[in-house]
Amino acid sequence: MEFGRGITHVGTSEDAATHHDSGSPLVGRTAELRLLDTVIDRLGHGTPSFVDITGAAGIGKSRLMAEFCLHARRRGMTVLRGRAAEYERHLPFHPFADAFADLDHRPPHAPDLLDAVSRVLGGRGAGPSPGPVPATADRFGLHRSVAGLMAQLGRAGGLVVALDDVHWADPASLELLDHLVRHPVPGPVVLVVARRDRQTPTALTAALTREAGTGAVLRIGLAPLSEQECVEGLAPDLPRDRAAQLHAAGEGNPLYFLSLLHAHREDAARRPTSSSAFAEISLGELPTGLGALLLNELAPLTPSQHRTLEVIAVLGDHAVSPVIRTVTGRTDAELDDDLDTLARRDLVRPGPGGRMVLRHPVIRTLVHESTAVRRRVEIHRAAAAELARTGAPAVEQARHIERSVTTWDPQAYAVLRQAAEQTASTAPTSCAHWLQAALGLLPDTAEYTVERRDLLLRRARALGVSGGLRESRDLLHKVISTAGPDETGVRTSAVVLCALTERHLGRYPEAIALLRRELRQPELSPSDRVSIGLELCSSAPHKASYPQMRGEVARTLADARVLGNELGEAGALAVAAFGEAYEGDVAAASAYAAQAACLLDGLPDDDLTALCEPLGRLGWAEAFLGRFIDAERHADRGLSIARRSGQIYLLPLLLLCKAHVGIQTCRLQSAWELADEAEDIARGIGSGELLAFVLANKAQVRVAASAPGDPEALAAAEEAVATMGPSDNWRASMAWCMLGYAALTGGDPHRARDALLRAGGDDLRGLQPSMRPLLSELLVTAALFTGDVPSASAWSERARTEAEQLGLPVQRASAMRSAAQLALHHGDAGRAATLLSEAAAECARSGAVFWEARSLLLAAPVMTAAGFGARGEAMWKQGHRLATRGGAGLLVGLAEMTRPSVPRTSSTAPPWLASLTAREREIAELVAEGLTNQAVATRLYLSPRTVETHLSRVFRKTDVATRAGLAALMARS
């Protein structure tokens, strides 16, 4: 009996390489297969969409996966299979490329998605695509494209994507897997992975374990086969005691059992009267003994066959006949003979893309490691030459070059640099790896000093966006310390990037000290001084307060204007607008924002590549000022430029700006998607503080979008606080504020109060002024819940004072709602109704739809209680409509609690109301709801001029002069 056939029978090695499922029966695993069949039966109907098969090498993971795929294929599902490889860990998306290669013969009805995926994942066999990957490709956009393509494929009867040996997956694949774990593909789609527990990277294990706890991941841990299963299923003709000995020696591992069984039979055939030499292998010696057993299979091979096997093991994905023939130097006929013999012995099998693969990864590892080092180098060198001759992509050549070229070789160096460029945006970890390989070749001489520093900077950037922040910082310090006095441009770039890296690490004092030290350098050019000044100013309000930075901002602005540097001037103005808006100086912030917008709007996109962060800061400033349209416009432009220029680290700032605007304008689904993308990027960068800030914003979206008391909203806020840790800066305050917000909506006023005061101090002075009225409103609510009326009154007065100083509509509305709560507590429903009506009107004027809806829903029952049932019902309907349309589950829940239940009461209309025509009354009611003239005109299909004419008559007949006065009058009537 051949060892290979036995393996196929039990399914421990299974024909995964050829993507053909074994037709032999599966031994054992009945319960596991039943679980997998259940996944197929209920696919797309709430079952886990991710299956995690774990176990030791040879335990049967691949065979179980093969059986599952076979069952799925028989049910008419599309099945894509791929495998990670031990010696290809720097080929980006290797297992996914292997799986998606099958799409060459199954073109989906999603050409755009397929193109977005195939340009990076490839379209033939494993490895990257033949065409160059755009340098501006977005790896996080690629993740979404892959998920979209999987969803599209799943619509045609279901989809299974099965990836084997993911413990060997490359970093880009691991990041994509993490995305797919956290964002399950909708519809009848299941992703199945097989892996070895102990060799799996910690991050993937943590993600799978976390989601297994929520039920999103089905984890199947394979235990050893029982003695009965091994004996009856694998060795029924062997004496029972001998089979039991083999089972005990192999610990129930099918691969080990069959290896021992094969050795026993080979030994018995040679020496019928002797006992097996391997029957006494101790458990502690089993791995070494197993290696000897497997290598013993190679003994009958001729030297040429053995060399061919070594070539296949070393080449991996490039083990196709033309390359094998070139590397081995065999003729076609000789090579065919070798391959036929190796195939008959089931040592190699045909794989996808015409390549040859070894039967099992364990075999490949043993052959690869037993090949002499010099021989491996020769194989890699010959493979690199052949791939270069055929015009293979640089990434494919690079793997062989780094294993065969050790001295200066300009051509090899150029290929490594090209491979780094091709992977910079989609697989930055691989990019950093190829750059390190290039640095290893580059001579460390004065002639190449500039080139070396350029590579170090590129590698630092790659590491900085792929989770290697500390290593990136160390490289940048090396560049800074070695840059000569005539290399100020390089040094400045390194200093600015290093300061940004320090910020991502939460090391603000170090960033500030580094920048201030650099500004004292006498050889610094004026333009470099502007660049460093802008980065220094960006440290506010994270650590240094903006007032401490005002002088620096002014100096940077003045320097830029002297130089005629429009970019520097625009950047300084944007930073000033953000800082003043944060500090609550609305007049100054508005002036700076207007100047910055004027400059930025007039510059072409290509000139703004270095100003993506200022665009984000301007957007946030405008959001704080209630200029939501301008804020979103500038954030959108910044996003477009940052994506195109590969500045991934700036995307969260811009995405969260848009998400914040989405919350204010009650577009919660859009806000959630934006915050979700920001989380993906923050996790990819590896910045804990940035991630905490993103999670705080996601918590705010979750609270607004969820029903009151939803535990997921509170959990999201708790995660943000836990991720932030002991920090006390702006981002930490945001996290604690969201925890207070979530706690209050969850019915825990005491915890809400404690969290809010932890965020801003006993007087909230630790928080930005634009947030204080809203948070004071929350503290009023919490105080009234607990019966602390004096505290509620004090917080209401603070809200009024802060709002008056700001003069912003949303903040004034918040103060009005605070006062309304106290008025209701004291029994003055009329005053409360007036305040809430005016609050709704203030919010409507600024476009803050979320707060408009909240004000209307709070006002509705108060109006009814005050005797204005019809008005209360109208306000409730409008608030409910806005909340439902915007996906604001919190407000929809509030609407259910405030639904009008008191029937209308007839009353005599006041004379002024009777004097209004039907059209005038209709317009008056809409204006009282807070609609602008344009909105009224749109609603009633009138021209704005007609609305204005009717409204002027209403003002004359009612003897009021303002829209707020009209709203109050309508509320009382």
Side-chain angles (χ1 to χ4, degrees):
M1 169 185 175
E2 286 198 5
F3 168 54
R5 291 196 179 94
I7 290 293
T8 301
H9 179 71
V10 72
T12 55
S13 70
E14 159 274 324
D15 200 356
T18 63
H19 292 219
H20 294 151
D21 297 316
S22 172
S24 60
L26 179 70
V27 175
R29 313 305 182 198
T30 304
E32 291 87 349
L33 193 57
R34 189 180 300 120
L35 276 174
L36 292 172
D37 282 338
T38 301
V39 171
I40 296 177
D41 291 339
R42 300 186 57 201
L43 198 59
H45 298 285
T47 62
S49 58
F50 201 109
V51 178
D52 179 25
I53 302 174
T54 66
I59 202 69
K61 303 182 297 297
S62 298
R63 181 63 182 89
L64 181 63
M65 176 183 281
E67 194 71 17
F68 175 65
C69 291
L70 182 61
H71 286 211
R73 194 175 286 116
R74 287 171 177 167
R75 301 276 284 272
M77 301 176 68
T78 298
V79 176
L80 304 177
R81 298 188 59 189
R83 183 191 287 275
E86 183 176 9
Y87 302 105
E88 285 77 32
R89 297 193 200 187
H90 294 291
L91 290 181
F93 306 104
H94 182 270
F96 285 94
D98 198 16
F100 279 88
D102 293 343
L103 291 179
D104 279 356
H105 309 294
R106 305 175 64 89
H109 301 291
D112 293 340
L113 284 172
L114 182 58
D115 180 63
V117 168
S118 65
R119 296 191 72 183
V120 178
L121 300 191
R124 52 170 181 75
S129 74
V133 178
T136 56
D138 177 356
R139 76 188 202 258
F140 302 101
L142 174 65
H143 297 167
R144 295 188 296 276
S145 294
V146 170
L149 179 57
M150 290 169 63
Q152 181 75 20
L153 291 169
R155 293 179 193 140
L159 172 70
V160 170
V161 177
L163 305 178
D164 207 353
D165 291 330
V166 297
H167 50 276
W168 283 327
D170 60 275
S173 293
L174 291 173
E175 190 175 61
L176 176 52
L177 277 171
D178 180 73
H179 174 87
L180 295 172
V181 170
R182 290 186 294 105
H183 307 288
V185 179
V189 176
V190 62
L191 182 60
V192 188
V193 298
R195 63 187 178 89
R196 301 176 194 170
D197 268 317
R198 293 181 181 179
Q199 292 176 255
T200 304
T202 303
L204 179 59
T205 299
L208 291 170
T209 302
R210 181 182 64 248
E211 296 304 322
T214 68
V217 171
L218 171 64
R219 186 170 188 178
I220 299 178
L222 296 187
L225 293 176
S226 69
E227 179 181 320
Q228 181 178 359
E229 289 170 330
C230 280
V231 172
E232 296 180 359
L234 303 176
D237 58 331
L238 203 65
R240 185 63 181 246
D241 60 339
R242 175 60 67 190
Q245 286 180 334
L246 296 181
H247 174 268
E251 296 184 299
N253 184 298
L255 176 62
Y256 300 172
F257 181 88
L258 285 166
S259 300
L260 292 166
L261 178 62
H262 174 69
H264 169 79
R265 287 178 170 159
E266 289 289 319
D267 186 59
R270 289 194 303 269
R271 292 179 293 167
T273 60
S274 67
S275 61
S276 172
F278 299 100
E280 298 178 359
I281 294 177
S282 70
L283 296 184
E285 297 171 345
L286 184 59
T288 302
L290 176 65
L293 287 171
L294 294 176
L295 288 175
N296 193 50
E297 273 197 89
L298 312 184
L301 300 180
T302 66
S304 65
Q305 292 164 355
H306 198 281
R307 284 196 297 272
T308 299
L309 193 68
E310 290 177 336
V311 168
I312 293 172
V314 173
L315 288 181
D317 291 330
H318 298 131
V320 293
S321 293
V323 181
I324 298 172
R325 183 174 57 251
T326 300
V327 175
T328 59
R330 307 283 284 169
T331 66
D332 287 342
E334 291 170 338
L335 180 60
D336 287 344
D337 287 343
D338 286 350
L339 293 177
D340 285 345
T341 300
L342 296 173
R344 281 197 307 273
R345 298 191 64 84
D346 198 24
L347 287 168
V348 299
R349 297 170 176 176
R355 71 178 188 260
M356 303 301 297
V357 297
L358 276 80
R359 179 182 70 227
H360 192 282
V362 170
I363 304 291
R364 184 188 179 193
T365 299
L366 288 170
V367 174
H368 187 282
E369 295 307 311
S370 65
T371 302
V373 174
R374 187 180 65 179
R375 174 70 176 148
R376 289 204 300 262
V377 170
E378 291 173 353
I379 294 171
H380 283 300
R381 183 180 295 115
E386 177 62 15
L387 291 172
R389 187 188 67 80
T390 58
V395 173
E396 296 188 17
Q397 298 180 52
R399 183 173 73 87
H400 298 290
I401 286 173
E402 71 162 329
R403 287 172 169 84
S404 61
V405 181
T406 57
T407 58
W408 174 236
D409 182 332
Q411 185 177 352
Y413 171 78
V415 171
L416 291 173
R417 282 205 59 158
Q418 188 180 1
E421 291 168 4
Q422 289 182 357
T423 54
S425 56
T426 55
T429 303
S430 293
C431 171
H433 175 81
W434 301 129
L435 287 170
Q436 181 63 28
L439 281 163
L441 289 185
L442 194 67
D444 193 5
T445 61
E447 180 185 356
Y448 296 101
T449 296
V450 174
E451 182 86 356
R452 177 170 292 277
R453 264 195 274 281
D454 177 64
L455 290 186
L456 288 172
L457 270 176
R458 288 173 181 269
R459 188 161 189 268
R461 289 192 184 97
L463 290 167
V465 296
S466 61
L469 289 171
R470 286 176 175 78
E471 190 177 355
S472 173
R473 172 187 176 275
D474 292 344
L475 281 178
L476 291 167
H477 273 268
K478 183 176 181 180
V479 174
I480 294 168
S481 63
T482 58
D486 58 338
E487 296 179 279
T488 56
V490 172
R491 182 184 172 95
T492 296
S493 296
V495 166
V496 170
L497 184 56
C498 188
L500 176 64
T501 304
E502 298 280 23
R503 279 201 278 144
H504 279 314
L505 288 168
R507 298 161 56 97
Y508 292 103
E510 289 84 351
I512 293 171
L514 174 67
L515 294 165
R516 289 197 185 282
R517 176 178 179 274
E518 196 64 21
L519 284 173
R520 293 194 295 269
Q521 299 299 317
E523 67 272 12
L524 199 65
S525 70
S527 60
D528 287 342
R529 190 173 297 279
V530 170
S531 298
I532 293 171
L534 284 176
E535 178 61 30
L536 178 59
C537 298
S538 296
S539 62
H542 302 291
K543 189 63 177 179
S545 68
Y546 180 75
Q548 293 175 305
M549 289 293 175
R550 275 199 182 100
E552 196 61 57
V553 174
R555 280 191 293 274
T556 302
L557 180 58
D559 287 344
R561 283 173 170 166
V562 168
L563 289 172
N565 183 345
E566 285 187 310
L567 297 178
E569 181 182 358
L573 288 168
V575 170
F578 176 81
E580 298 296 357
Y582 181 90
E583 292 299 325
D585 189 337
V586 173
S590 298
Y592 282 129
Q595 294 176 64
C598 183
L599 271 175
L600 290 168
D601 291 347
L603 291 169
D605 283 355
D606 289 344
D607 288 354
L608 294 180
T609 300
L611 288 183
C612 290
E613 185 166 14
L615 271 168
R617 290 181 177 273
L618 175 59
W620 273 104
E622 290 166 331
F624 290 159
L625 296 171
R627 300 177 181 178
F628 302 125
I629 294 175
D630 288 336
E632 189 162 17
R633 177 170 61 86
H634 287 125
D636 275 330
R637 193 176 184 197
L639 281 169
S640 175
I641 298 169
R643 290 190 200 280
R644 191 167 61 249
S645 58
Q647 298 181 78
I648 296 297
Y649 52 89
L650 295 177
L651 293 180
L653 172 74
L654 296 154
L655 289 165
L656 293 180
C657 178
K658 280 197 68 175
H660 178 76
V661 171
I663 296 171
Q664 306 304 308
T665 56
C666 204
R667 292 174 289 157
L668 275 304
Q669 180 60 38
S670 172
W672 178 260
E673 291 169 357
L674 291 162
D676 206 39
E677 183 182 354
E679 180 186 356
D680 284 345
I681 297 169
R683 290 186 186 278
I685 291 173
S687 169
E689 180 159 309
L690 178 60
L691 176 60
F693 184 58
V694 171
L695 292 176
N697 281 270
K698 279 194 74 173
Q700 184 179 10
V701 181
R702 173 76 79 175
V703 171
S706 304
D710 186 339
E712 291 296 325
L714 183 60
E718 289 172 335
E719 184 182 5
V721 168
T723 304
M724 181 60 71
S727 299
D728 60 355
N729 56 30
W730 172 46
R731 291 173 169 175
S733 297
M734 279 288 296
W736 281 101
C737 286
M738 292 310 108
L739 179 59
Y741 187 17
L744 188 61
T745 60
D748 190 345
H750 294 286
R751 188 180 187 189
R753 176 187 178 280
D754 291 345
L756 293 170
L757 296 183
R758 166 67 175 76
D762 291 341
D763 56 0
L764 297 187
R765 290 294 172 183
L767 298 174
Q768 64 192 89
S770 63
M771 290 180 62
R772 291 176 198 160
L774 173 61
L775 298 176
S776 295
E777 179 188 351
L778 298 180
L779 286 166
V780 168
T781 303
L784 290 176
F785 261 124
T786 59
D788 187 356
V789 179
S791 291
S793 298
W795 286 117
S796 178
E797 177 59 24
R798 288 187 184 180
R800 184 192 65 78
T801 302
E802 295 279 0
E804 284 182 355
Q805 291 175 351
L806 292 167
L808 297 171
V810 173
Q811 284 72 9
R812 284 199 299 264
S814 186
M816 291 173 185
R817 289 193 299 270
S818 294
Q821 290 187 71
L822 281 171
L824 271 178
H825 179 80
H826 293 301
D828 191 347
R831 173 168 166 72
T834 299
L835 286 167
L836 290 170
S837 179
E838 291 177 353
E842 287 275 10
C843 294
R845 276 193 291 276
S846 69
V849 179
F850 181 88
W851 301 110
E852 176 190 1
R854 176 175 172 80
S855 301
L856 288 169
L857 292 170
L858 290 173
V862 180
M863 286 290 181
T864 300
F868 310 118
R871 179 69 182 137
E873 183 178 356
M875 296 180 83
W876 184 90
K877 287 181 178 179
Q878 174 68 354
H880 183 263
R881 181 167 59 251
L882 294 175
T884 303
R885 186 174 62 199
L890 180 67
L891 300 185
V892 172
L894 176 62
E896 291 304 312
M897 291 186 281
T898 60
R899 183 183 293 272
S901 57
V902 179
R904 295 187 185 185
T905 56
S906 58
S907 59
T908 303
W912 64 264
L913 188 59
S915 70
L916 298 181
T917 66
R919 177 63 82 185
E920 289 168 352
R921 183 167 181 172
E922 186 176 29
I923 290 174
E925 289 175 345
L926 293 174
V927 169
E929 289 182 12
L931 272 67
T932 63
N933 287 2
Q934 181 61 57
V936 172
T938 302
R939 181 81 63 86
L940 300 180
Y941 301 99
L942 301 173
S943 71
R945 182 173 294 278
T946 300
V947 172
E948 186 177 343
T949 299
H950 283 300
L951 189 57
S952 64
R953 293 171 182 164
V954 170
F955 283 152
R956 186 175 63 253
K957 292 179 180 181
T958 58
D959 196 27
V960 296
T962 66
R963 301 168 79 91
L966 178 60
L969 190 64
M970 294 294 291
R972 292 194 296 271
S973 304

